[in-house]
Amino acid sequence: MKTKSIALFLFAALFLAACAAPGSGSLAGTSWILQSINGIPVGGPVDNQNVTLIFTSATEMGGFGGCNSYGGSYQAGVSSIAFSDIMSTLMACVDNNISRVETEFFNALNEANAYSLTQCESCVVAGTLTITGGGQTLVFVVQ
């Protein structure tokens, strides 16, 4: 019974994190799937994996860029964000388009300086995360 209570608590915590109030600055514990870069859709999953951004704590993030796994640090305020120390694996991309998307994605993260959350109405429909900076715009949906 205790295990069920803990599992329910963890599910509720993740659910509430995904439904945080706009501008709350709380990204920790949220997971996102990249939908577009500068308004251009990135397409479907790559080898059954989406390009992702996962905020694993209040200062650490990581995910999958299309060819490579990556991780690093971030600082977020109410609407400001900065990524640093981004490192990735060095797997070669066979598909040039996937390689291009990953490069654009990593460049946009490095140039990011602002973000906004558009949350769901009563958390039935997924929200979006938009990250901007240096003329770049990344749009994500809740994973």
Side-chain angles (χ1 to χ4, degrees):
M1 183 62 125
K2 189 173 185 175
T3 303
K4 286 184 182 179
S5 296
I6 292 171
L8 182 60
F9 174 77
L10 291 174
F11 175 76
L14 288 173
F15 182 78
L16 291 173
C19 295
S24 69
S26 178
L27 294 170
T30 62
S31 298
W32 304 90
I33 297 172
L34 182 65
Q35 296 297 293
S36 66
I37 299 175
N38 299 323
I40 301 169
V42 296
V46 178
D47 293 333
N48 297 318
Q49 294 188 46
N50 291 299
V51 176
T52 60
L53 175 58
I54 302 166
F55 295 95
T56 55
S57 74
T59 60
E60 301 295 318
M61 61 80 191
F64 180 70
C67 293
N68 293 282
S69 297
Y70 69 94
S73 301
Y74 77 98
Q75 290 184 327
V78 173
S79 62
S80 64
I81 195 163
F83 296 92
S84 60
D85 303 323
I86 298 174
M87 297 173 58
S88 71
T89 57
L90 300 174
M91 301 295 290
C93 288
V94 177
D95 185 319
N96 287 337
N97 186 51
I98 295 170
S99 180
R100 179 191 53 77
V101 167
E102 183 175 80
T103 299
E104 289 178 14
F105 174 62
F106 288 155
N107 287 341
L109 287 179
N110 281 316
E111 295 179 14
N113 60 24
Y115 79 97
S116 64
L117 291 169
T118 305
Q119 294 302 319
C120 52
E121 303 265 335
S122 73
C123 294
V124 174
V125 178
T128 60
L129 168 66
T130 303
I131 296 176
T132 57
Q136 307 288 331
T137 301
L138 302 172
V139 177
F140 301 83
V141 295
V142 173
Q143 183 172 19

